[in-house]
Amino acid sequence: MRIVEVIPITRSPYAPNTLTYFSTKELAPGDLVSVSLGARNLPAVVKKVEDARALKSELKKGVFKLKPLRGVISKSFFDDKFLKAVSRISEETLLPENLILFFLVPHPLFSVKLAGRRAGEFPSDYHRESVFRGNFAERVVEYRSQIREHFARERSLIVTAPRLETLSLLEKELSRGIENHVFYFSSRLSPKKYLERWNEALAQSHPVLILGTGPVLFFDRPDMESVILEEESSALWRTEAGLDFRRVASVLVQEKKRKL
């Protein structure tokens, strides 16, 4: 038996930062599991796993009164760098990790049908942040140049914006000639379609361009190299809970050694 500490993924201000359950399954930090909290079932990320034998005396004394973990949704759902980024953001903003995960991870992905992460990674030992100034037409020209350059080197990239109207314009302007390699995610997609499109983007052998609002920053594959923030000065990047996706992007590229 294993004692499993998890971070429940919920926006509830009353949920504890971590919960502890027991499980007979092989688990590791970063796995996505299902847990019960009161009358609700919630997704949660495994934070720590301990062998129950190491806590035998505490268990006998009744220090722990644990419920069983309900089940495993997806193995290796989160990688170490992502979890480290979430921890850093939590320390900086004083927002709990469960709330950050609630806003950052697209909810249609909490499914056993989510494809596993692709193995391998292009090595990178640096990250870079830069700024491009110009009107919308000039920015589109720059983005097209970045896409061509990334695809030529077999690298993928994310373009994210805070408004769906902006993303619709970007999809129209940036998809010409590469329609099969562009994946647009928004809250207007049904959960089923969102998941299908996400799995397709993960599986495609050709580099991809990912378009979406802040939660697409969670998208990852071994050839991912850059993130572009369109309308970077907009106040709409900040959620009602105070999470700023601009800071999320900055911390993620630092941890993953990528470009912003």
Side-chain angles (χ1 to χ4, degrees):
M1 187 171 74
R2 295 160 185 82
I3 307 302
V4 185
E5 183 180 350
V6 305
I7 303 170
I9 302 176
T10 174
R11 70 184 300 171
S12 170
Y14 305 108
N17 290 328
T18 60
L19 296 166
T20 305
Y21 298 84
F22 74 84
S23 177
T24 58
K25 299 183 181 340
E26 287 282 351
L27 294 168
D31 291 346
L32 184 70
V33 296
S34 175
V35 300
S36 57
L37 179 60
R40 297 179 299 159
N41 295 327
L42 297 173
V45 55
V46 175
K47 186 173 184 179
K48 184 169 66 174
V49 181
E50 294 183 273
D51 194 315
R53 288 174 294 185
L55 303 171
K56 189 174 181 180
S57 60
E58 287 86 349
L59 290 169
K60 282 187 175 181
K61 292 175 184 176
V63 175
F64 296 108
K65 295 182 179 179
L66 303 180
K67 294 190 292 185
L69 189 143
R70 290 187 58 83
V72 179
I73 300 174
S74 180
K75 300 289 287 183
S76 302
F77 189 83
F78 301 97
D79 63 33
D80 293 341
K81 294 176 182 177
F82 178 84
L83 292 177
K84 185 177 179 181
V86 170
S87 178
R88 279 184 56 189
I89 295 165
S90 178
E91 291 174 1
E92 290 181 8
T93 63
L94 301 182
L95 293 172
E97 294 181 38
N98 51 15
L99 187 66
I100 294 170
L101 291 169
F102 178 87
F103 282 104
L104 182 53
V105 183
H107 295 190
L109 306 187
F110 299 146
S111 168
V112 294
K113 295 182 179 180
L114 178 68
R117 289 192 291 125
R118 288 172 55 179
E121 187 171 359
F122 289 98
S124 175
D125 58 359
Y126 76 99
H127 95 279
R128 185 177 71 203
E129 298 189 19
S130 56
V131 177
F132 178 82
R133 294 182 182 275
N135 59 36
F136 183 75
E138 291 169 332
R139 296 198 302 275
V140 166
V141 170
E142 172 65 16
Y143 299 162
R144 286 174 180 162
S145 175
Q146 289 286 342
I147 294 165
R148 287 194 299 270
E149 188 263 339
H150 277 69
F151 280 13
R153 294 186 296 104
E154 298 186 348
R155 298 292 191 269
S156 295
L157 68 165
I158 293 170
V159 177
T160 178
R163 298 186 303 128
L164 294 180
E165 294 80 6
T166 302
L167 287 166
S168 295
L169 289 173
L170 288 173
E171 182 184 29
K172 180 180 178 181
E173 295 292 337
L174 301 180
S175 297
R176 295 171 188 166
I178 56 170
E179 291 85 354
N180 294 334
H181 312 305
V182 178
F183 295 87
Y184 175 30
F185 297 94
S186 83
S187 57
R188 294 172 180 168
L189 292 174
S190 69
K192 180 180 179 181
K193 187 63 177 178
Y194 198 110
L195 181 61
E196 288 176 351
R197 190 173 292 183
W198 194 278
N199 283 340
E200 186 181 350
L202 288 174
Q204 187 166 137
S205 58
H206 190 282
V208 295
L209 168 63
I210 302 298
L211 295 170
T213 52
V216 297
L217 293 169
F218 180 68
F219 184 89
D220 201 7
R221 44 184 269 163
D223 62 358
M224 185 59 66
E225 182 176 270
S226 300
V227 173
I228 294 174
L229 299 180
E230 163 66 2
E231 296 183 348
E232 185 272 342
S233 62
S234 172
L236 296 175
W237 286 108
R238 188 182 295 273
T239 71
E240 65 269 25
L243 180 65
D244 193 324
F245 281 107
R246 292 167 294 191
R247 186 56 187 157
V248 170
S250 182
V251 173
L252 279 174
V253 298
Q254 288 175 37
E255 291 296 334
K256 292 178 176 287
K257 306 298 183 186
R258 292 173 179 167
K259 300 174 187 175
L260 176 63

